[in-house]
Amino acid sequence: MTTETYSPRPWKIQVVDMTDRSPDLAFRIPGIPPRRTLQSGRGAYRDETGKVRFFTKAPVRADAWQMLDKFRKLLPAGWEPRGDSARVRIELVYPLTREERRRMEAAGANILLPHTVKPDVDNLVKSILDSMTRAGVWIDDAQVQDLQARKWRGLLPRWAVFVWWLPPVAIPRPPRRKAEPEGQGTLFG
């Protein structure tokens, strides 16, 4: 996978190859990935003044806290939030249906099938990145510059989040203009 960094001239792009680097942080979590997202667990009501009030349903809050707890436990000891740009890859493998599991085990196959039902991958990504922000992986999830997310079904349910810190890009200053002699080439000279 390559990441593009921008040079001072927009038509020249320097490509930084990230495939040979192992991730700077890797969260490998066995078990079923999150099924409820913060976006799916929101509700609203009108209070006595007619104002709309929003709330998060209790099971969704519990899932969010469990996710946050998992990230906190897997962070290295003494970890401080980073302020650099990041590249993130999220892999989610949900369990197969009974029929799919039976057929795969009978064939001795272990392949990943597309997972095209809810929860939506974009809402999962938002919940995961928000939990990582609250856990202190980075200062803000706006630092994620490059994001890849995959959602599958397989024999072994699991989920993983990989983080690479991107090298800072220095924007060079333009060369200084030479001072013109006084009285020559100026508007009023």
Side-chain angles (χ1 to χ4, degrees):
M1 185 61 58
T2 59
T3 302
E4 298 175 351
T5 57
Y6 296 96
S7 70
R9 296 187 184 111
W11 60 88
K12 284 189 174 182
I13 295 177
Q14 173 190 4
V15 177
V16 179
D17 189 11
M18 304 283 285
T19 54
D20 59 343
R21 279 183 49 197
S22 61
D24 297 317
L25 275 178
F27 300 96
R28 291 180 178 88
I29 303 167
I32 299 172
R35 292 181 187 259
R36 291 183 285 234
T37 64
L38 291 174
Q39 287 71 24
S40 68
R42 299 234 165 117
Y45 67 96
R46 289 195 184 273
D47 65 4
E48 58 279 349
T49 64
K51 222 178 201 184
V52 177
R53 302 287 182 178
F54 295 95
F55 64 93
T56 303
K57 297 175 185 169
V60 175
R61 272 199 314 267
D63 285 356
W65 282 109
Q66 286 175 357
M67 196 179 338
L68 172 64
D69 191 43
K70 288 177 183 177
F71 286 126
R72 280 191 178 146
K73 284 180 181 174
L74 293 172
L75 274 174
W79 179 263
E80 291 293 323
R82 301 259 316 241
D84 305 333
S85 295
R87 173 180 179 251
V88 176
R89 188 174 78 217
I90 300 171
E91 297 175 1
L92 306 161
V93 181
Y94 287 89
L96 296 168
T97 63
R98 283 190 203 129
E99 178 63 21
E100 290 168 340
R101 176 176 284 285
R102 187 187 60 74
R103 287 173 52 200
M104 262 204 215
E105 287 173 349
N110 187 9
I111 58 173
L112 295 174
L113 302 172
H115 189 286
T116 56
V117 297
K118 289 194 179 274
D120 299 343
V121 73
D122 58 330
N123 292 333
L124 287 166
V125 166
K126 287 181 218 171
S127 294
I128 290 170
L129 294 182
D130 286 344
S131 292
M132 291 175 75
T133 302
R134 284 189 215 111
V137 173
W138 43 58
I139 296 168
D140 186 18
D141 56 1
Q143 294 168 228
V144 176
Q145 179 180 329
D146 185 9
L147 176 67
Q148 180 183 28
R150 298 177 179 170
K151 186 173 75 158
W152 303 97
R153 290 188 329 266
L155 281 173
L156 183 63
R158 62 197 179 278
W159 53 300
V161 181
F162 303 101
V163 179
W164 290 266
W165 300 111
L166 299 175
V169 178
I171 301 174
R173 293 180 178 257
R176 293 185 126 194
R177 296 176 119 186
K178 293 181 181 177
E180 296 181 15
E182 212 169 301
Q184 296 179 355
T186 62
L187 186 62
F188 302 106

